Amino acid sequence: MLEQLIGSQEVLIAIAMMASIVYLSRVGGYLLGLQVRHIGGLRPVLEALPGCAFMAILVPAVRQGNPIEIIALLCVIVLMWKTNSVVLATTTGMAVLVLGGSALEMIRLL
Amino acid sequence: MSTFQSFKLGIRCSGGYFISTFLFGVMFGIAAASAGIEQWQSLLMSASVFSASAQFVSLEFWHSPLPLGTIALSVGLVSSRNILLGMSMTYHFDGHSLLRRIVWLFLLNDPGVVTALSLDKQVGRLGYVFGYGVSLSVSWVLSTWVGLNLAEWFAGAHLGSLNFAGPMVMATMMILFVKGSGANALPWITSGMASLILYELGSPNYLILLGSVSVGIVVAVVHERRKNA
């Protein structure tokens, strides 16, 4: 398997790096807030950042997706938009991925 | 209300999000197993990182050799909202030592912060958010373990598709952003368009991230200036 080529040390470095970045973002925001909360106009830009990052990752992933994945994603988006239920949307999306993936595999075998 | 009582209140109030976090954790465990990450590594990641978005995003780049720079950049970008969460708590954690605040901020979490803002003033916000975080982190690690074991159970099925759980979760978060924040969606739309163009041009992942987020920031700044003009 390709994944087995990733060494444990490399993985540990990646995990430690991720944990540090996430923690620093949490504590950094609080400490930054203590210092610069009086500055105006910064909040809307910071608010836009996570959404931009999600889109930057999401769009290429969707572009590479197969039909089942696209259908699953559409189900998630529609259900999430209509019901606002994360549980319902993601459960449905997962079901479409699992069942659709298996169905696609069976069709290929036939 | 004492800090310990607020801590217990945080745990008690986290029931609903405990369940949804559990679901995400199961999905993460399955997706992590599908990406080929070993069980102990996935559990270590969930315990130490404690961030669904950061962990799902990292799975997108989990291949040999690990692109540490791209992972760091993407994790940093999706974690940038934590800066806002932390800033929103600026006025609410007073009365505790700086050391305690810095240590307990490890478990800062979105639902804990959001619900803390509407609490009675007698409740200690730091204790409450920390209690909430302890509950969600237990749910997160436990459900990762469940997901990892379910992945083995799903091994006969078409597990490869579950790699797509990451983008699906990101899509739900994106919709929560769009519906809940009331912010202008133009930076996000332009970011998405820029990432598509950069992807079609065959750009490396880090350049897609940097380029499209930069475009989004520029649009956000221009929009803010026009609004204030």
Side-chain angles (χ1 to χ4, degrees), chain A residues 3 23 26 30 37 63 81, chain B residues 35 50 90 102 179 200:
Chain A
E3 294 81 6
Y23 174 66
R26 288 175 177 144
Y30 179 73
R37 58 190 176 196
R63 175 71 180 78
W81 192 265
Chain B
F50 180 49
T90 300
I102 286 175
K179 290 181 80 175
E200 294 297 345

Side-chain angles (χ1 to χ4, degrees), chain B residues 160-211:
Chain B
S161 291
L162 291 177
N163 262 334
F164 203 70
M168 270 183 2
V169 173
M170 276 185 266
T172 62
M173 291 181 187
M174 200 62 224
I175 289 173
L176 286 177
F177 270 131
V178 172
K179 290 181 80 175
S181 72
N184 176 28
L186 197 59
W188 304 331
I189 294 168
T190 48
S191 249
M193 288 166 65
S195 71
L196 184 60
I197 292 167
L198 288 168
Y199 172 79
E200 294 297 345
L201 290 173
S203 308
N205 287 330
Y206 77 92
L207 202 61
I208 295 176
L209 275 170
L210 269 181

Side-chain angles (χ1 to χ4, degrees), chain A residues 3 10 15 17 23 25-26 29-30 37 44 48 50-52 54 56 58-59 63-64 69 81 86 90 105, chain B residues 23-24 35 50 66 81-82 87 90-91 101-102 106 108 158 164 167 177 179 188 191 195 199-200 212 224:
Chain A
E3 294 81 6
E10 200 181 354
I15 292 172
M17 180 188 72
Y23 174 66
S25 71
R26 288 175 177 144
Y30 179 73
R37 58 190 176 196
C52 292
F54 280 135
L58 190 59
V59 171
R63 175 71 180 78
Q64 295 172 67
E69 290 169 344
W81 192 265
V86 178
T90 47
E105 201 68 16
Chain B
L23 182 73
F24 278 130
F50 180 49
L66 279 178
R81 78 177 193 288
N82 290 332
M87 287 177 90
T90 300
Y91 300 97
R101 281 181 271 171
I102 286 175
F106 175 74
L108 188 74
H158 193 71
F164 203 70
F177 270 131
K179 290 181 80 175
W188 304 331
S191 249
S195 71
Y199 172 79
E200 294 297 345
S212 50
E224 188 61 19

